[in-house]
Amino acid sequence: MQPDYTIDHFLQRALRRLDLGEVADEARVERIYRQLAGDLISRLTPSVNYTKGTLTLRLSSAALRHEMFNRRESLRQRINDQLGAEVVRRIIIR
């Protein structure tokens, strides 16, 4: 029995072969973070950057920064679950 492959699977393989996988991952990680965070937290997150396994979030609220720092591992797992792979290895909160 052959495994089921989606168009996304083939696109990701092609992007990785062209060394564009990191660019695609960056866009996907930011999109998923904003979906998981919701409208309010997204508005309080002026900067979302992903590079080489590290997601850096700049938050405009000290209270939110503290809360997100405590929940960063849970957030990392949820993002990776959405991506279907271990893409985000660590999260930095600023």
Side-chain angles (χ1 to χ4, degrees):
M1 186 166 127
Q2 286 185 327
D4 293 326
Y5 292 110
T6 63
I7 291 174
D8 186 54
H9 168 80
F10 290 110
L11 286 173
Q12 291 303 317
R13 284 183 63 194
L15 289 171
R16 291 201 193 297
R17 283 188 182 152
L18 296 170
D19 287 333
L20 296 174
E22 185 73 24
V23 174
D25 286 345
E26 183 177 347
R28 290 174 50 209
V29 167
E30 180 173 354
R31 178 179 49 80
I32 290 170
Y33 167 75
R34 295 211 182 267
Q35 285 174 348
L36 291 173
D39 290 335
L40 176 62
I41 293 174
S42 286
R43 280 182 279 161
L44 296 172
T45 311
S47 176
V48 177
N49 296 306
Y50 171 80
T51 305
K52 298 180 182 175
T54 300
L55 175 61
T56 303
L57 304 173
R58 186 169 54 87
L59 304 169
S60 59
S61 162
L64 179 59
R65 210 170 16 257
H66 177 73
E67 185 65 28
M68 293 294 280
F69 180 82
N70 291 329
R71 294 179 183 233
R72 69 185 186 279
E73 182 58 27
S74 171
L75 177 61
R76 187 188 70 78
Q77 289 175 349
R78 290 178 66 199
I79 291 170
N80 285 331
D81 287 346
Q82 291 285 320
L83 291 168
E86 189 75 13
V87 175
V88 177
R89 291 186 301 274
R90 73 181 205 167
I91 297 178
I92 297 172
I93 307 292
R94 295 197 170 144

